[in-house]
Every structure is written in C-alpha cells, then in structure tokens.
Amino acid sequence: MKKFLLFFILLSGTAFSGNAQGWFQDHPHWTSYFSFGFSGTGYENVFVEGDTIVQGLPATILKRFRHTSSTDNTDIRVARQEGDTIWLWNANTNQFNLAYDFSLTVGDSVAVPLYWSSGNFTYSIDGIGTLLVDGQSRRFQHIDFVPANANGQHCQALIIEEIGFVNGFCDTYPYGGHLFLDERNEGFVDGPEWVFCEYRNNHIVYSDPIALCAGLTSQTEPMMGAAFSIQPNPFHETFSVISKKDQAASYLRVFDAGGRLVLQVSPPFSPISTNALVPGLYFLEITWNGGSRQFYKAVKE
C-alpha cells in the first residue's frame, strides 16, 4: 500500500458524510499497468472525452486508450454521477448500473453486472474513513469481494472518492487496479494482473512509485492536431473520412453514445454507408500509421 495510507482513520460502523466530488471534472486522467492477458502487456489510460445523453440521462464519455505489445483494445465507456453515486453503462443489461456509492456504509453491499459477460459479482463494505491525497481529504471504502475466489481467498481493495478502485489483493495476484468495477480482478475471469499507477487532475495527484509503473510517463497518449475530418458532419446515409495530413487511414470503428461498437470498416474508404445506424451521436475511432489513433464525434440526423 502507498505510504499516505498511514494517515487514514478506519471506522467500523459509523456512517461518514461529506460533500460529493466531481469525478469527471478538472481533466481527470487514470493510468494502470497490466502484465499479461487478452491484450498483452502495457498501460491503459482513461480520459474524459466529453458529455453525452443516454436514455435521457446526462452522462460522461470515457476513452480507454491502451498501449500494448499486441492487440489494441481501446474502447469507449460511459458513466454518470448523481451526488455520491457513480453509475456505469452496461451494454449487456442495456442500463446504467451502480458501481460506487459513498452514501453507503459498513455492512452494505453492491452487485455489479459484468461488462464483458452475463452475471455479476458483489462487493461488501467492511470499513470506511478518510485519507489524504496531496494534502486533500478523500473518503474511502474498504471492500471485500464475495464470495471467495476459487482458492478460497477474498479479494480486498479500497475505493477512493474521485479516484476509484485501487490495488486490491485478488486470487494469487498481488495487485488489482480496475478503475471501474466491471469485472472481478482474478486470473480466471479477468486475465491481466493490474497495478493502478496514477490518478491526476488539475488539483491532486495520486501515484504508486513501484517499478511496474515507472514507464507510465512515456506511455501517455500523444497530443496532436486532428489528422482527419468527417464529411459531412452531421451525416445522413453516408460519410467520408478525409485526411488532413496526407495520412492513410487503416481502420475505422464506430461506437454509439453508450460505448457499444456498432460498425467496423477496413480500407478502401469509399463513402461509408450508415444505413445500419439510427440517428444520434457517434464516436469514430480512426487508426493509421501503424497504430496511431484519434477519436471524432459525429452525428447522424
């Protein structure tokens, strides 16, 4: 555990109250390391991309941008905050599901549907308190995953206000680090060994200086001007991908406002038919130049 955790006060039965924090304000950025699994070794960065509306509810678009040694699994997730509660959009259940709730206290539990498959898992809160992050007080919940895993062990972790799920101890792996509780962090379910490396926004930085996180400073997403444009935008039956810097696009993926992958296109890019898309907001991921990629917003009318 990180050295500042020495400052926390663990409460075992008394509700803690405080002001709700803006999880998706002030340009937050999360970084994790994963050691193996479906997408290879690498780093995952999560950025806030902007706002959307899903099922009539205001929500936040999150881009999960992965740097790996093999397959790229960059995708879009959607979340929303309501006071002390964070809800995550789940395509399998076609609804927002509760993930974090800081109005809950010791003895309460939360059932979280799995993102990549059917079913869910449950975590229970067995301690609450506060800790200091860069001199600022943040609430936390100490949680335990139930039931025990296949080895009879329980996965325990912290959920830190505004930062998320931090460094649990699951299965035989010493680290956990999913920002969002969409899967149990166990080898037979999750695959990768995760280490939560860093959270930062305009005001605070939470980082873990262990060796596995040492490469994150060189693994952030490159900042660059737009390499392509989408024409027309808004579009109707078709749109085209136009290069602005003489780049040849190699792949296109289209996600709906809920983060669901709805269209994949390989070159050649003639005008792209959108007959299968309903009117609404979409996010287009364009890949080029051996793995460079950017996201674009587009609207079908």
Side-chain angles (χ1 to χ4, degrees):
M1 284 292 177
K2 301 165 182 61
K3 60 183 179 180
F4 68 73
L5 297 187
L6 297 174
F7 294 103
F8 73 69
I9 303 172
L10 190 62
L11 307 177
S12 59
T14 305
F16 179 86
S17 62
N19 295 324
Q21 299 293 324
W23 284 54
F24 308 120
Q25 299 173 358
D26 300 321
H27 309 288
H29 174 200
W30 297 262
T31 303
S32 293
Y33 166 87
F34 48 97
S35 62
F36 67 93
F38 306 114
S39 55
T41 301
Y43 294 83
E44 176 180 270
N45 293 274
V46 178
F47 306 86
V48 171
E49 281 290 289
D51 299 321
T52 186
I53 300 291
V54 178
Q55 293 187 345
L57 297 168
T60 300
I61 305 145
L62 303 163
K63 180 171 65 173
R64 294 159 61 107
F65 183 85
R66 295 188 178 184
H67 308 261
T68 72
S69 58
S70 57
T71 306
D72 172 69
N73 282 331
T74 299
D75 61 9
I76 293 289
R77 297 291 177 93
V78 175
R80 69 182 180 92
Q81 179 173 5
E82 187 176 297
D84 274 344
T85 306
I86 298 295
W87 302 77
L88 304 177
W89 175 258
N90 187 296
N92 288 316
T93 61
N94 197 39
Q95 64 184 10
F96 283 101
N97 298 112
L98 175 66
Y100 309 139
D101 186 350
F102 277 86
S103 68
L104 299 178
T105 189
V106 173
D108 292 331
S109 62
V110 176
V112 182
L114 296 171
Y115 187 85
W116 294 111
S117 61
S118 60
N120 57 50
F121 65 87
T122 299
Y123 71 84
S124 61
I125 301 170
D126 57 20
I128 59 177
T130 61
L131 51 78
L132 295 178
V133 181
D134 269 10
Q136 298 192 34
S137 178
R138 287 291 181 268
R139 293 178 289 178
F140 74 82
Q141 296 171 332
H142 186 272
I143 66 170
D144 184 90
F145 289 88
V146 290
N149 62 29
N151 295 327
Q153 300 170 312
H154 284 258
C155 173
Q156 297 183 331
L158 289 181
I159 299 175
I160 303 177
E161 182 181 28
E162 192 170 331
I163 294 171
F165 175 52
V166 174
N167 289 15
F169 293 82
C170 308
D171 202 10
T172 58
Y173 307 115
Y175 303 110
H178 275 176
L179 169 65
F180 301 118
L181 293 171
D182 53 31
E183 304 162 73
R184 290 183 65 179
N185 185 28
E186 298 180 12
F188 56 88
V189 174
D190 190 0
E193 175 181 12
W194 289 81
V195 179
F196 185 83
C197 289
E198 182 178 86
Y199 166 83
R200 64 171 62 237
N201 63 13
N202 289 349
H203 306 291
I204 64 174
V205 176
Y206 170 99
S207 61
D208 193 338
I210 66 174
L212 293 176
C213 294
L216 70 88
T217 54
S218 62
Q219 297 291 338
T220 55
E221 183 179 13
M223 301 300 292
M224 61 186 81
F228 298 88
S229 64
I230 309 302
Q231 298 181 11
N233 189 11
F235 59 86
H236 294 278
E237 289 80 17
T238 64
F239 66 82
S240 296
V241 176
I242 309 299
S243 174
K244 300 173 67 174
K245 298 183 178 182
D246 296 324
Q247 301 284 357
S250 58
Y251 201 65
L252 169 70
R253 299 196 299 175
V254 180
F255 300 85
D256 66 15
R260 190 195 308 264
L261 179 65
V262 294
L263 184 64
Q264 302 181 71
V265 183
S266 298
F269 288 139
S270 55
I272 297 166
S273 173
T274 65
N275 290 336
L277 305 182
V278 300
L281 175 66
Y282 291 91
F283 301 91
L284 282 59
E285 179 198 37
I286 301 174
T287 304
W288 79 98
N289 192 27
S292 298
R293 60 184 52 78
Q294 289 181 341
F295 276 79
Y296 299 81
K297 294 181 183 178
V299 174
K300 180 173 182 178
E301 294 184 332

